[in-house]
Amino acid sequence: MVDFERMNRETREICARFGLQFTPDEKVSRLSAAMQQMVEIMKAVRRDSAIIAFDEPTASLSDKEIEILFTIIRQLKAQNKVILYVSHRMKEISQISDEVVVFKDGKIVGQVETGKATNDELIRMMVGRPLGKVFEELERNTDIGDTVLELKHMTTDYVTDVSFSVRKGEILGFAGLVGAGRTEIMRALFGLDPILSGEVWLEGKRVSISSPQDAIAHGIAMVPEDRKDQGILPNISVKGNISIAILKTLLNKLRMIDNARETKIAERAIETYRIRTPGADKQISQLSGGNQQKAVLARWLEMRPKVLILDEPTKGIDVGAKAEFYSIICQCARAGITVLLVSSELPEIIGLSDRVVVIREGGVSAIVDRENSNEEHLLRYAMVDEKDA
């Protein structure tokens, strides 16, 4: 039988150890993302294992919560526990580790005692992958126009004082670590998260965006990071997934969908974007991830957007599909579409972007021209506070 009295007592004890105020019977689903992360950490500590691995544990934690975690880790070290701590944050590595192991492309490329290598030397170990000919062969837009979109001091619950501008036909990349706030900027711009302060200007006019409907009405489209849960409609056809954003334009005089026209648009998109499917009526969940993503992209491009947000568009797709995506992105820019590109792959960001906005800890760390973009510079802006360099 479960000893609930003991379970609750020990839960209260470990919560107190972590300085947390919630009760043992509080539902985890109602906690913030940061508190859910702390629960996961407490579970790992409570198991009293000889080896404990922490994989990016501070991604959603506040400074106070991070200090509590570090205190617990130091206590575990004093108990002769082995701690494996995975992080891209240089400041954390120097604070909590005794030795640093650097991985690159699945291989160990360096191992040094903490403090024996500078931040620049550690970053240099992580750099060196060639961008490849695929980026060199892309047909880029050479006719970038006037400013289309401008954010002025935008603040949400997740990001602070974000400002940047982007021009017609420009590909503006967003680099940064996991949890830095790149996706949160895009969610706010698409009306998924409320903007608490600041301004959004589109084609010289200030606009208000409080919902995805507002964003779409202003010509802003978004391909989300989570393709399966937020991108595709898994139980309907490829055709239905492509046409759903423009259904109002497909209504006939009887206010019913013109099926023949819908099919024609879907088949054209399938050919244009090389979506590999037996036909437009194929259920989209039966396609590969890359072809699902192409269908989601085709959906928004049929809307003829002014601004196209791509959040990790090549995540989880094969190399061949990535190359096709790169070509499509450049094609969009040549057609005059303004592209906001979020990617965790630095070669992708550098290879595609005209400029790169680097996000660190919820704010803009730097905006870098293509000529000055390299992995070492971007990693430095993303990982190191210049005050700590």
Side-chain angles (χ1 to χ4, degrees), residues 148 168-169 190 202-203 215-223 245-246 273 297-310 332 335-339:
V148 169
K168 182 176 181 179
F190 196 60
L202 191 65
E203 295 183 320
I216 292 169
H218 288 300
I220 301 173
M222 180 175 178
V223 176
I246 57 168
Y273 305 114
L297 178 58
R299 171 198 304 165
W300 292 115
L301 292 179
E302 286 299 325
M303 194 187 83
R304 303 292 189 270
K306 299 173 185 174
V307 178
L308 177 63
I309 300 170
L310 300 175
C332 290
I337 298 173
T338 297
V339 179

PDB file of all heavy atoms in Angstrom, residues 148 168-169 190 202-203 215-223 245-246 273 297-310 332 335-339:
ATOM      1  N   VAL A 148       9.325  47.102 -44.118  1.00  0.00           N
ATOM      2  CA  VAL A 148       7.955  46.597 -44.089  1.00  0.00           C
ATOM      3  C   VAL A 148       7.463  46.470 -42.655  1.00  0.00           C
ATOM      4  O   VAL A 148       6.355  46.898 -42.325  1.00  0.00           O
ATOM      5  CB  VAL A 148       7.864  45.226 -44.795  1.00  0.00           C
ATOM      6  CG1 VAL A 148       6.503  44.572 -44.546  1.00  0.00           C
ATOM      7  CG2 VAL A 148       8.091  45.385 -46.284  1.00  0.00           C
ATOM      8  N   LYS A 168      11.344  44.764 -47.182  1.00  0.00           N
ATOM      9  CA  LYS A 168      10.660  43.935 -48.171  1.00  0.00           C
ATOM     10  C   LYS A 168      11.679  43.049 -48.886  1.00  0.00           C
ATOM     11  O   LYS A 168      12.708  43.518 -49.375  1.00  0.00           O
ATOM     12  CB  LYS A 168       9.936  44.809 -49.195  1.00  0.00           C
ATOM     13  CG  LYS A 168       9.160  44.016 -50.245  1.00  0.00           C
ATOM     14  CD  LYS A 168       8.383  44.945 -51.171  1.00  0.00           C
ATOM     15  CE  LYS A 168       7.587  44.140 -52.198  1.00  0.00           C
ATOM     16  NZ  LYS A 168       6.804  45.014 -53.102  1.00  0.00           N
ATOM     17  N   GLY A 169      11.390  41.736 -48.918  1.00  0.00           N
ATOM     18  CA  GLY A 169      12.271  40.804 -49.597  1.00  0.00           C
ATOM     19  C   GLY A 169      13.515  40.436 -48.816  1.00  0.00           C
ATOM     20  O   GLY A 169      14.387  39.744 -49.342  1.00  0.00           O
ATOM     21  N   PHE A 190       2.554  37.200 -33.937  1.00  0.00           N
ATOM     22  CA  PHE A 190       1.431  36.519 -34.590  1.00  0.00           C
ATOM     23  C   PHE A 190       0.166  36.549 -33.726  1.00  0.00           C
ATOM     24  O   PHE A 190      -0.837  35.928 -34.075  1.00  0.00           O
ATOM     25  CB  PHE A 190       1.814  35.073 -34.912  1.00  0.00           C
ATOM     26  CG  PHE A 190       0.899  34.406 -35.899  1.00  0.00           C
ATOM     27  CD1 PHE A 190       0.731  34.916 -37.177  1.00  0.00           C
ATOM     28  CD2 PHE A 190       0.198  33.259 -35.555  1.00  0.00           C
ATOM     29  CE1 PHE A 190      -0.116  34.303 -38.086  1.00  0.00           C
ATOM     30  CE2 PHE A 190      -0.654  32.635 -36.461  1.00  0.00           C
ATOM     31  CZ  PHE A 190      -0.824  33.161 -37.735  1.00  0.00           C
ATOM     32  N   LEU A 202       3.667  48.323 -39.462  1.00  0.00           N
ATOM     33  CA  LEU A 202       3.644  47.562 -40.702  1.00  0.00           C
ATOM     34  C   LEU A 202       3.411  48.516 -41.861  1.00  0.00           C
ATOM     35  O   LEU A 202       2.411  49.247 -41.893  1.00  0.00           O
ATOM     36  CB  LEU A 202       2.528  46.510 -40.650  1.00  0.00           C
ATOM     37  CG  LEU A 202       2.511  45.455 -41.753  1.00  0.00           C
ATOM     38  CD1 LEU A 202       3.754  44.564 -41.666  1.00  0.00           C
ATOM     39  CD2 LEU A 202       1.254  44.601 -41.662  1.00  0.00           C
ATOM     40  N   GLU A 203       4.363  48.555 -42.771  1.00  0.00           N
ATOM     41  CA  GLU A 203       4.310  49.441 -43.941  1.00  0.00           C
ATOM     42  C   GLU A 203       4.038  50.881 -43.528  1.00  0.00           C
ATOM     43  O   GLU A 203       3.212  51.582 -44.122  1.00  0.00           O
ATOM     44  CB  GLU A 203       3.259  48.945 -44.933  1.00  0.00           C
ATOM     45  CG  GLU A 203       3.608  47.585 -45.533  1.00  0.00           C
ATOM     46  CD  GLU A 203       2.600  47.132 -46.560  1.00  0.00           C
ATOM     47  OE1 GLU A 203       1.391  47.342 -46.349  1.00  0.00           O
ATOM     48  OE2 GLU A 203       3.021  46.553 -47.586  1.00  0.00           O
ATOM     49  N   ALA A 215      -3.276  39.188 -37.002  1.00  0.00           N
ATOM     50  CA  ALA A 215      -2.022  39.050 -37.742  1.00  0.00           C
ATOM     51  C   ALA A 215      -2.291  38.670 -39.196  1.00  0.00           C
ATOM     52  O   ALA A 215      -1.718  39.259 -40.123  1.00  0.00           O
ATOM     53  CB  ALA A 215      -1.137  37.999 -37.068  1.00  0.00           C
ATOM     54  N   ILE A 216      -3.160  37.694 -39.397  1.00  0.00           N
ATOM     55  CA  ILE A 216      -3.478  37.248 -40.759  1.00  0.00           C
ATOM     56  C   ILE A 216      -4.111  38.378 -41.554  1.00  0.00           C
ATOM     57  O   ILE A 216      -3.795  38.577 -42.743  1.00  0.00           O
ATOM     58  CB  ILE A 216      -4.411  36.014 -40.701  1.00  0.00           C
ATOM     59  CG1 ILE A 216      -3.645  34.815 -40.130  1.00  0.00           C
ATOM     60  CG2 ILE A 216      -4.960  35.681 -42.093  1.00  0.00           C
ATOM     61  CD1 ILE A 216      -4.528  33.635 -39.787  1.00  0.00           C
ATOM     62  N   ALA A 217      -4.991  39.145 -40.917  1.00  0.00           N
ATOM     63  CA  ALA A 217      -5.647  40.275 -41.599  1.00  0.00           C
ATOM     64  C   ALA A 217      -4.623  41.311 -42.049  1.00  0.00           C
ATOM     65  O   ALA A 217      -4.826  41.997 -43.058  1.00  0.00           O
ATOM     66  CB  ALA A 217      -6.681  40.909 -40.674  1.00  0.00           C
ATOM     67  N   HIS A 218      -3.522  41.419 -41.323  1.00  0.00           N
ATOM     68  CA  HIS A 218      -2.461  42.366 -41.684  1.00  0.00           C
ATOM     69  C   HIS A 218      -1.433  41.755 -42.625  1.00  0.00           C
ATOM     70  O   HIS A 218      -0.444  42.407 -42.970  1.00  0.00           O
ATOM     71  CB  HIS A 218      -1.765  42.882 -40.426  1.00  0.00           C
ATOM     72  CG  HIS A 218      -2.585  43.827 -39.604  1.00  0.00           C
ATOM     73  ND1 HIS A 218      -3.055  45.021 -40.092  1.00  0.00           N
ATOM     74  CD2 HIS A 218      -3.030  43.751 -38.319  1.00  0.00           C
ATOM     75  CE1 HIS A 218      -3.737  45.652 -39.150  1.00  0.00           C
ATOM     76  NE2 HIS A 218      -3.748  44.897 -38.067  1.00  0.00           N
ATOM     77  N   GLY A 219      -1.646  40.498 -43.026  1.00  0.00           N
ATOM     78  CA  GLY A 219      -0.737  39.873 -43.976  1.00  0.00           C
ATOM     79  C   GLY A 219       0.461  39.202 -43.348  1.00  0.00           C
ATOM     80  O   GLY A 219       1.506  39.042 -43.991  1.00  0.00           O
ATOM     81  N   ILE A 220       0.331  38.786 -42.083  1.00  0.00           N
ATOM     82  CA  ILE A 220       1.411  38.081 -41.390  1.00  0.00           C
ATOM     83  C   ILE A 220       1.043  36.609 -41.267  1.00  0.00           C
ATOM     84  O   ILE A 220      -0.043  36.278 -40.791  1.00  0.00           O
ATOM     85  CB  ILE A 220       1.665  38.683 -39.992  1.00  0.00           C
ATOM     86  CG1 ILE A 220       2.046  40.164 -40.112  1.00  0.00           C
ATOM     87  CG2 ILE A 220       2.757  37.909 -39.261  1.00  0.00           C
ATOM     88  CD1 ILE A 220       2.153  40.880 -38.781  1.00  0.00           C
ATOM     89  N   ALA A 221       1.920  35.733 -41.683  1.00  0.00           N
ATOM     90  CA  ALA A 221       1.692  34.286 -41.616  1.00  0.00           C
ATOM     91  C   ALA A 221       2.793  33.646 -40.791  1.00  0.00           C
ATOM     92  O   ALA A 221       3.899  34.181 -40.696  1.00  0.00           O
ATOM     93  CB  ALA A 221       1.668  33.684 -43.018  1.00  0.00           C
ATOM     94  N   MET A 222       2.494  32.483 -40.195  1.00  0.00           N
ATOM     95  CA  MET A 222       3.480  31.830 -39.335  1.00  0.00           C
ATOM     96  C   MET A 222       3.460  30.319 -39.513  1.00  0.00           C
ATOM     97  O   MET A 222       2.408  29.686 -39.382  1.00  0.00           O
ATOM     98  CB  MET A 222       3.229  32.172 -37.861  1.00  0.00           C
ATOM     99  CG  MET A 222       4.217  31.526 -36.904  1.00  0.00           C
ATOM    100  SD  MET A 222       3.962  32.090 -35.196  1.00  0.00           S
ATOM    101  CE  MET A 222       5.212  31.135 -34.327  1.00  0.00           C
ATOM    102  N   VAL A 223       4.622  29.749 -39.809  1.00  0.00           N
ATOM    103  CA  VAL A 223       4.822  28.302 -39.794  1.00  0.00           C
ATOM    104  C   VAL A 223       5.445  27.973 -38.438  1.00  0.00           C
ATOM    105  O   VAL A 223       6.597  28.344 -38.184  1.00  0.00           O
ATOM    106  CB  VAL A 223       5.738  27.842 -40.939  1.00  0.00           C
ATOM    107  CG1 VAL A 223       6.005  26.346 -40.845  1.00  0.00           C
ATOM    108  CG2 VAL A 223       5.117  28.193 -42.284  1.00  0.00           C
ATOM    109  N   ALA A 245      -6.375  28.129 -45.016  1.00  0.00           N
ATOM    110  CA  ALA A 245      -6.147  29.543 -44.730  1.00  0.00           C
ATOM    111  C   ALA A 245      -6.850  30.469 -45.714  1.00  0.00           C
ATOM    112  O   ALA A 245      -6.970  31.676 -45.460  1.00  0.00           O
ATOM    113  CB  ALA A 245      -4.651  29.844 -44.724  1.00  0.00           C
ATOM    114  N   ILE A 246      -7.313  29.917 -46.838  1.00  0.00           N
ATOM    115  CA  ILE A 246      -7.944  30.766 -47.860  1.00  0.00           C
ATOM    116  C   ILE A 246      -9.366  30.300 -48.192  1.00  0.00           C
ATOM    117  O   ILE A 246      -9.884  30.590 -49.268  1.00  0.00           O
ATOM    118  CB  ILE A 246      -7.085  30.790 -49.144  1.00  0.00           C
ATOM    119  CG1 ILE A 246      -6.871  29.368 -49.689  1.00  0.00           C
ATOM    120  CG2 ILE A 246      -5.768  31.494 -48.905  1.00  0.00           C
ATOM    121  CD1 ILE A 246      -6.296  29.334 -51.090  1.00  0.00           C
ATOM    122  N   TYR A 273       5.868  23.192 -54.846  1.00  0.00           N
ATOM    123  CA  TYR A 273       6.728  22.973 -53.671  1.00  0.00           C
ATOM    124  C   TYR A 273       7.200  21.524 -53.545  1.00  0.00           C
ATOM    125  O   TYR A 273       7.752  21.145 -52.518  1.00  0.00           O
ATOM    126  CB  TYR A 273       5.984  23.426 -52.416  1.00  0.00           C
ATOM    127  CG  TYR A 273       5.517  24.859 -52.524  1.00  0.00           C
ATOM    128  CD1 TYR A 273       4.158  25.174 -52.566  1.00  0.00           C
ATOM    129  CD2 TYR A 273       6.436  25.895 -52.639  1.00  0.00           C
ATOM    130  CE1 TYR A 273       3.728  26.478 -52.709  1.00  0.00           C
ATOM    131  CE2 TYR A 273       6.025  27.210 -52.776  1.00  0.00           C
ATOM    132  CZ  TYR A 273       4.660  27.500 -52.819  1.00  0.00           C
ATOM    133  OH  TYR A 273       4.245  28.794 -52.964  1.00  0.00           O
ATOM    134  N   LEU A 297       3.735  25.168 -45.212  1.00  0.00           N
ATOM    135  CA  LEU A 297       4.295  26.366 -45.836  1.00  0.00           C
ATOM    136  C   LEU A 297       3.454  26.794 -47.030  1.00  0.00           C
ATOM    137  O   LEU A 297       3.156  27.987 -47.212  1.00  0.00           O
ATOM    138  CB  LEU A 297       5.735  26.091 -46.269  1.00  0.00           C
ATOM    139  CG  LEU A 297       6.474  27.226 -46.977  1.00  0.00           C
ATOM    140  CD1 LEU A 297       6.531  28.466 -46.102  1.00  0.00           C
ATOM    141  CD2 LEU A 297       7.887  26.773 -47.364  1.00  0.00           C
ATOM    142  N   ALA A 298       3.041  25.815 -47.852  1.00  0.00           N
ATOM    143  CA  ALA A 298       2.204  26.126 -49.020  1.00  0.00           C
ATOM    144  C   ALA A 298       0.893  26.783 -48.600  1.00  0.00           C
ATOM    145  O   ALA A 298       0.391  27.690 -49.277  1.00  0.00           O
ATOM    146  CB  ALA A 298       1.923  24.851 -49.809  1.00  0.00           C
ATOM    147  N   ARG A 299       0.332  26.319 -47.483  1.00  0.00           N
ATOM    148  CA  ARG A 299      -0.914  26.899 -46.963  1.00  0.00           C
ATOM    149  C   ARG A 299      -0.797  28.415 -46.812  1.00  0.00           C
ATOM    150  O   ARG A 299      -1.653  29.173 -47.264  1.00  0.00           O
ATOM    151  CB  ARG A 299      -1.245  26.283 -45.610  1.00  0.00           C
ATOM    152  CG  ARG A 299      -2.382  26.953 -44.860  1.00  0.00           C
ATOM    153  CD  ARG A 299      -2.358  26.582 -43.392  1.00  0.00           C
ATOM    154  NE  ARG A 299      -2.407  25.139 -43.225  1.00  0.00           N
ATOM    155  CZ  ARG A 299      -2.121  24.511 -42.086  1.00  0.00           C
ATOM    156  NH1 ARG A 299      -1.726  25.217 -41.029  1.00  0.00           N
ATOM    157  NH2 ARG A 299      -2.212  23.212 -42.007  1.00  0.00           N
ATOM    158  N   TRP A 300       0.301  28.848 -46.160  1.00  0.00           N
ATOM    159  CA  TRP A 300       0.440  30.276 -45.880  1.00  0.00           C
ATOM    160  C   TRP A 300       0.860  31.058 -47.114  1.00  0.00           C
ATOM    161  O   TRP A 300       0.476  32.222 -47.278  1.00  0.00           O
ATOM    162  CB  TRP A 300       1.436  30.481 -44.748  1.00  0.00           C
ATOM    163  CG  TRP A 300       0.918  29.957 -43.446  1.00  0.00           C
ATOM    164  CD1 TRP A 300       1.418  28.918 -42.714  1.00  0.00           C
ATOM    165  CD2 TRP A 300      -0.235  30.421 -42.740  1.00  0.00           C
ATOM    166  NE1 TRP A 300       0.654  28.722 -41.598  1.00  0.00           N
ATOM    167  CE2 TRP A 300      -0.369  29.623 -41.579  1.00  0.00           C
ATOM    168  CE3 TRP A 300      -1.172  31.433 -42.965  1.00  0.00           C
ATOM    169  CZ2 TRP A 300      -1.387  29.811 -40.655  1.00  0.00           C
ATOM    170  CZ3 TRP A 300      -2.189  31.622 -42.042  1.00  0.00           C
ATOM    171  CH2 TRP A 300      -2.285  30.823 -40.903  1.00  0.00           C
ATOM    172  N   LEU A 301       1.622  30.430 -48.006  1.00  0.00           N
ATOM    173  CA  LEU A 301       2.031  31.147 -49.206  1.00  0.00           C
ATOM    174  C   LEU A 301       0.864  31.366 -50.154  1.00  0.00           C
ATOM    175  O   LEU A 301       0.857  32.340 -50.931  1.00  0.00           O
ATOM    176  CB  LEU A 301       3.164  30.387 -49.909  1.00  0.00           C
ATOM    177  CG  LEU A 301       4.495  30.360 -49.146  1.00  0.00           C
ATOM    178  CD1 LEU A 301       5.542  29.574 -49.924  1.00  0.00           C
ATOM    179  CD2 LEU A 301       4.984  31.775 -48.867  1.00  0.00           C
ATOM    180  N   GLU A 302      -0.154  30.495 -50.089  1.00  0.00           N
ATOM    181  CA  GLU A 302      -1.358  30.725 -50.887  1.00  0.00           C
ATOM    182  C   GLU A 302      -2.096  31.981 -50.421  1.00  0.00           C
ATOM    183  O   GLU A 302      -2.868  32.572 -51.164  1.00  0.00           O
ATOM    184  CB  GLU A 302      -2.290  29.517 -50.793  1.00  0.00           C
ATOM    185  CG  GLU A 302      -1.825  28.315 -51.589  1.00  0.00           C
ATOM    186  CD  GLU A 302      -1.721  28.595 -53.079  1.00  0.00           C
ATOM    187  OE1 GLU A 302      -2.553  29.370 -53.601  1.00  0.00           O
ATOM    188  OE2 GLU A 302      -0.808  28.043 -53.728  1.00  0.00           O
ATOM    189  N   MET A 303      -1.820  32.404 -49.186  1.00  0.00           N
ATOM    190  CA  MET A 303      -2.434  33.608 -48.626  1.00  0.00           C
ATOM    191  C   MET A 303      -1.770  34.877 -49.156  1.00  0.00           C
ATOM    192  O   MET A 303      -2.254  35.988 -48.947  1.00  0.00           O
ATOM    193  CB  MET A 303      -2.312  33.547 -47.102  1.00  0.00           C
ATOM    194  CG  MET A 303      -3.160  34.516 -46.337  1.00  0.00           C
ATOM    195  SD  MET A 303      -2.750  34.470 -44.571  1.00  0.00           S
ATOM    196  CE  MET A 303      -1.333  35.564 -44.517  1.00  0.00           C
ATOM    197  N   ARG A 304      -0.629  34.714 -49.825  1.00  0.00           N
ATOM    198  CA  ARG A 304       0.162  35.838 -50.335  1.00  0.00           C
ATOM    199  C   ARG A 304       0.521  36.798 -49.196  1.00  0.00           C
ATOM    200  O   ARG A 304       0.164  37.985 -49.226  1.00  0.00           O
ATOM    201  CB  ARG A 304      -0.593  36.584 -51.441  1.00  0.00           C
ATOM    202  CG  ARG A 304      -1.020  35.734 -52.623  1.00  0.00           C
ATOM    203  CD  ARG A 304       0.188  35.268 -53.426  1.00  0.00           C
ATOM    204  NE  ARG A 304      -0.205  34.626 -54.664  1.00  0.00           N
ATOM    205  CZ  ARG A 304      -0.441  33.321 -54.818  1.00  0.00           C
ATOM    206  NH1 ARG A 304      -0.321  32.519 -53.775  1.00  0.00           N
ATOM    207  NH2 ARG A 304      -0.782  32.829 -55.980  1.00  0.00           N
ATOM    208  N   PRO A 305       1.257  36.337 -48.193  1.00  0.00           N
ATOM    209  CA  PRO A 305       1.547  37.186 -47.029  1.00  0.00           C
ATOM    210  C   PRO A 305       2.573  38.271 -47.339  1.00  0.00           C
ATOM    211  O   PRO A 305       3.377  38.151 -48.265  1.00  0.00           O
ATOM    212  CB  PRO A 305       2.113  36.185 -46.016  1.00  0.00           C
ATOM    213  CG  PRO A 305       2.776  35.150 -46.871  1.00  0.00           C
ATOM    214  CD  PRO A 305       1.892  35.015 -48.088  1.00  0.00           C
ATOM    215  N   LYS A 306       2.539  39.324 -46.538  1.00  0.00           N
ATOM    216  CA  LYS A 306       3.580  40.346 -46.594  1.00  0.00           C
ATOM    217  C   LYS A 306       4.787  39.910 -45.762  1.00  0.00           C
ATOM    218  O   LYS A 306       5.928  40.168 -46.127  1.00  0.00           O
ATOM    219  CB  LYS A 306       3.047  41.673 -46.052  1.00  0.00           C
ATOM    220  CG  LYS A 306       1.873  42.244 -46.817  1.00  0.00           C
ATOM    221  CD  LYS A 306       1.306  43.464 -46.098  1.00  0.00           C
ATOM    222  CE  LYS A 306       0.053  43.970 -46.798  1.00  0.00           C
ATOM    223  NZ  LYS A 306      -0.582  45.080 -46.020  1.00  0.00           N
ATOM    224  N   VAL A 307       4.475  39.278 -44.618  1.00  0.00           N
ATOM    225  CA  VAL A 307       5.512  38.825 -43.685  1.00  0.00           C
ATOM    226  C   VAL A 307       5.300  37.344 -43.418  1.00  0.00           C
ATOM    227  O   VAL A 307       4.188  36.926 -43.076  1.00  0.00           O
ATOM    228  CB  VAL A 307       5.463  39.609 -42.361  1.00  0.00           C
ATOM    229  CG1 VAL A 307       6.515  39.077 -41.386  1.00  0.00           C
ATOM    230  CG2 VAL A 307       5.659  41.109 -42.614  1.00  0.00           C
ATOM    231  N   LEU A 308       6.357  36.553 -43.561  1.00  0.00           N
ATOM    232  CA  LEU A 308       6.292  35.114 -43.325  1.00  0.00           C
ATOM    233  C   LEU A 308       7.230  34.752 -42.177  1.00  0.00           C
ATOM    234  O   LEU A 308       8.445  34.946 -42.272  1.00  0.00           O
ATOM    235  CB  LEU A 308       6.689  34.345 -44.584  1.00  0.00           C
ATOM    236  CG  LEU A 308       6.740  32.815 -44.468  1.00  0.00           C
ATOM    237  CD1 LEU A 308       5.357  32.247 -44.157  1.00  0.00           C
ATOM    238  CD2 LEU A 308       7.294  32.199 -45.754  1.00  0.00           C
ATOM    239  N   ILE A 309       6.661  34.244 -41.090  1.00  0.00           N
ATOM    240  CA  ILE A 309       7.443  33.805 -39.934  1.00  0.00           C
ATOM    241  C   ILE A 309       7.698  32.304 -40.065  1.00  0.00           C
ATOM    242  O   ILE A 309       6.757  31.521 -40.187  1.00  0.00           O
ATOM    243  CB  ILE A 309       6.701  34.098 -38.615  1.00  0.00           C
ATOM    244  CG1 ILE A 309       6.438  35.597 -38.460  1.00  0.00           C
ATOM    245  CG2 ILE A 309       7.483  33.564 -37.429  1.00  0.00           C
ATOM    246  CD1 ILE A 309       5.512  35.928 -37.308  1.00  0.00           C
ATOM    247  N   LEU A 310       8.953  31.915 -40.028  1.00  0.00           N
ATOM    248  CA  LEU A 310       9.332  30.506 -40.100  1.00  0.00           C
ATOM    249  C   LEU A 310      10.071  30.152 -38.813  1.00  0.00           C
ATOM    250  O   LEU A 310      11.207  30.591 -38.601  1.00  0.00           O
ATOM    251  CB  LEU A 310      10.238  30.251 -41.313  1.00  0.00           C
ATOM    252  CG  LEU A 310       9.647  30.585 -42.690  1.00  0.00           C
ATOM    253  CD1 LEU A 310      10.709  30.405 -43.777  1.00  0.00           C
ATOM    254  CD2 LEU A 310       8.439  29.718 -42.971  1.00  0.00           C
ATOM    255  N   CYS A 332      10.773  32.933 -51.839  1.00  0.00           N
ATOM    256  CA  CYS A 332       9.836  33.846 -51.172  1.00  0.00           C
ATOM    257  C   CYS A 332      10.411  35.261 -51.114  1.00  0.00           C
ATOM    258  O   CYS A 332       9.718  36.244 -51.389  1.00  0.00           O
ATOM    259  CB  CYS A 332       9.532  33.361 -49.762  1.00  0.00           C
ATOM    260  SG  CYS A 332       8.549  31.855 -49.662  1.00  0.00           S
ATOM    261  N   ALA A 335      10.276  37.024 -54.294  1.00  0.00           N
ATOM    262  CA  ALA A 335       8.910  37.435 -54.624  1.00  0.00           C
ATOM    263  C   ALA A 335       8.462  38.645 -53.806  1.00  0.00           C
ATOM    264  O   ALA A 335       7.322  39.095 -53.938  1.00  0.00           O
ATOM    265  CB  ALA A 335       7.958  36.267 -54.378  1.00  0.00           C
ATOM    266  N   GLY A 336       9.354  39.154 -52.944  1.00  0.00           N
ATOM    267  CA  GLY A 336       9.027  40.355 -52.179  1.00  0.00           C
ATOM    268  C   GLY A 336       8.452  40.088 -50.803  1.00  0.00           C
ATOM    269  O   GLY A 336       8.027  41.022 -50.115  1.00  0.00           O
ATOM    270  N   ILE A 337       8.431  38.823 -50.388  1.00  0.00           N
ATOM    271  CA  ILE A 337       7.928  38.485 -49.051  1.00  0.00           C
ATOM    272  C   ILE A 337       9.038  38.722 -48.032  1.00  0.00           C
ATOM    273  O   ILE A 337      10.190  38.349 -48.248  1.00  0.00           O
ATOM    274  CB  ILE A 337       7.455  37.018 -48.987  1.00  0.00           C
ATOM    275  CG1 ILE A 337       6.286  36.796 -49.958  1.00  0.00           C
ATOM    276  CG2 ILE A 337       7.044  36.632 -47.566  1.00  0.00           C
ATOM    277  CD1 ILE A 337       5.878  35.336 -50.079  1.00  0.00           C
ATOM    278  N   THR A 338       8.679  39.364 -46.939  1.00  0.00           N
ATOM    279  CA  THR A 338       9.613  39.571 -45.834  1.00  0.00           C
ATOM    280  C   THR A 338       9.620  38.316 -44.973  1.00  0.00           C
ATOM    281  O   THR A 338       8.565  37.871 -44.521  1.00  0.00           O
ATOM    282  CB  THR A 338       9.189  40.791 -44.997  1.00  0.00           C
ATOM    283  OG1 THR A 338       9.258  41.957 -45.822  1.00  0.00           O
ATOM    284  CG2 THR A 338      10.084  40.969 -43.794  1.00  0.00           C
ATOM    285  N   VAL A 339      10.796  37.751 -44.734  1.00  0.00           N
ATOM    286  CA  VAL A 339      10.905  36.470 -44.029  1.00  0.00           C
ATOM    287  C   VAL A 339      11.605  36.665 -42.683  1.00  0.00           C
ATOM    288  O   VAL A 339      12.697  37.243 -42.624  1.00  0.00           O
ATOM    289  CB  VAL A 339      11.689  35.439 -44.862  1.00  0.00           C
ATOM    290  CG1 VAL A 339      11.811  34.117 -44.099  1.00  0.00           C
ATOM    291  CG2 VAL A 339      11.007  35.213 -46.213  1.00  0.00           C
TER     292      VAL A 339
END
